[in-house]
Every structure is written in structure tokens, then in C-alpha cells.
């Protein structure tokens, strides 16, 4: 089975936090076929994505989700402060539940309009709904008293196509700028 992999992370500018950045990703995967299943995974920082300073590069392959050609993927990059805020069965369960509801709502809306499978534009709109929901969840789970991590920019959709097998996403926020390259392996 293939995986969606982060194969390169470049810190163009570290965040405004004191010291080096430790980063992790929250990744959403949505199935556009009924029953419209979804999943959420959290990866990092660990030994691979720790202690980033401006201009540093990490090229270790890190699988972040099972890959299905028709699935929709949305990734949020987060700067960890004391400990990873998005961890533990209860917190990750809440993210899975809430993002699953948003995903199923978007897909059911398309199903009722006889618009399945979704067009690239409809998939991008559903991904944007997921990104907004991720930011909403971050405002709960990454703010005191529950947490203090910082999203770096906005969550973004990862699109793998035959013409773009290694998409590069740019994350700007919290004073930082990161580039992340993806591939399927």
C-alpha cells in the first residue's frame, strides 16, 4: 500500500518563539466515496523535525497517511511549545470526530446535488471547509488553558496528480516560513 510522505522540510525562517522550532503536522484524509470515511493523524516532532533554525533542511522521508488517489488531504503545520497539544486519545478523538462531521456534511451536500465524485473545485472547497474547521479546533486545543502550540499559517490541501507528483506547500505564520514537499511512496 502506498503512503503520502513528507520528504523534505525547509525552515526558511524560524518562528518568533524563543529558541529553535520543534514542528509537527496534523493531517486529515477524507474519502469522497460513501460512507465518506475520514481519518486524522499527528506526526512529529520527534528526532526528525526538532530544533529547526532559519535555513535548516530535513530530507528524511516521513509517511503521514495511507495514500488513495481520490482521497482529499489537508495538512496543518504546528510549532510545538512545551509538549504536543494535539495528542492523547481524547484530543485526537475530538479532532477526528469534528473533522469527520465537517467532511461528511460536505460530501452529503455534493451527493444530494448528484455531484459525486467531486470535481477538483468541489474537492478544494471541501478541503477549505476542513482547513477552517482545523483552525477552529486549534483555537480551542492550542490556546491556554488547554495548550500553547502555534499553527504556522493556514492548513492547506495536498494535491498529488500525474503532473505534480511532488507538490510543495508554503506555510507562513507565527513569524515563521516553512516549505514542505510531499510525495507518494
Amino acid at each position: 500500500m502506498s503512503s503520502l510522505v513528507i520528504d523534505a522540510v525547509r525552515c526558511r525562517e524560524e518562528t518568533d518563539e524563543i529558541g529553535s522550532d520543534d514542528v509537527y503536522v496534523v493531517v486529515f484524509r477524507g474519502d469522497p466515496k460513501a460512507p465518506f470515511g475520514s481519518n486524522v493523524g499527528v506526526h512529529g516532532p520527534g528526532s526528525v523535525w526538532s530544533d529547526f533554525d532559519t535555513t535548516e533542511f530535513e530530507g528524511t522521508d516521513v509517511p503521514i497517511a495511507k495514500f488513495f488517489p481520490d482521497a482529499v488531504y489537508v495538512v496543518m503545520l504546528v510549532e510545538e511549545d512545551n509538549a504536543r497539544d494535539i495528542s492523547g486519545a481524547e484530543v485526537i478523538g475530538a479532532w477526528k470526530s469534528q473533522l469527520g462531521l465537517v467532511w461528511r456534511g460536505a460530501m452529503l451536500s455534493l451527493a444530494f446535488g448528484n455531484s459525486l465524485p467531486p470535481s477538483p473545485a468541489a474537492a478544494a472547497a471541501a478541503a477549505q471547509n476542513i482547513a477552517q474547521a482545523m483552525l477552529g479546533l486549534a483555537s480551542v486545543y492550542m490556546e491556554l488553558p488547554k495548550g500553547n502550540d502555534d499553527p504556522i499559517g493556514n492548513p492547506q490541501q495536498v494535491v498529488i496528480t500525474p503532473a505534480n507528483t511532488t507538490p510543495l506547500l508554503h506555510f507562513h505564520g507565527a513569524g515563521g516560513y516553512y516549505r514542505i514537499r510531499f510525495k507518494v511512496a
Side-chain angles (χ1 to χ4, degrees), residues 35-53:
F36 311 119
S38 63
N39 198 12
V40 173
V42 184
H43 304 277
S47 61
V48 178
W49 299 333
S50 295
D51 297 321
F52 274 108
D53 293 310

Side-chain angles (χ1 to χ4, degrees), residues 34-72:
F36 311 119
S38 63
N39 198 12
V40 173
V42 184
H43 304 277
S47 61
V48 178
W49 299 333
S50 295
D51 297 321
F52 274 108
D53 293 310
T54 298
T55 73
E56 287 192 342
F57 173 84
E58 176 55 55
T60 302
D61 285 0
V62 177
I64 60 170
K66 291 180 183 174
F67 180 75
F68 301 98
D70 59 346
V72 173

Side-chain angles (χ1 to χ4, degrees), residues 73-85:
Y73 298 88
V74 179
V75 173
M76 171 185 262
L77 180 64
V78 181
E79 191 278 325
E80 178 189 80
D81 284 334
N82 302 330
R84 195 169 78 187
D85 292 348

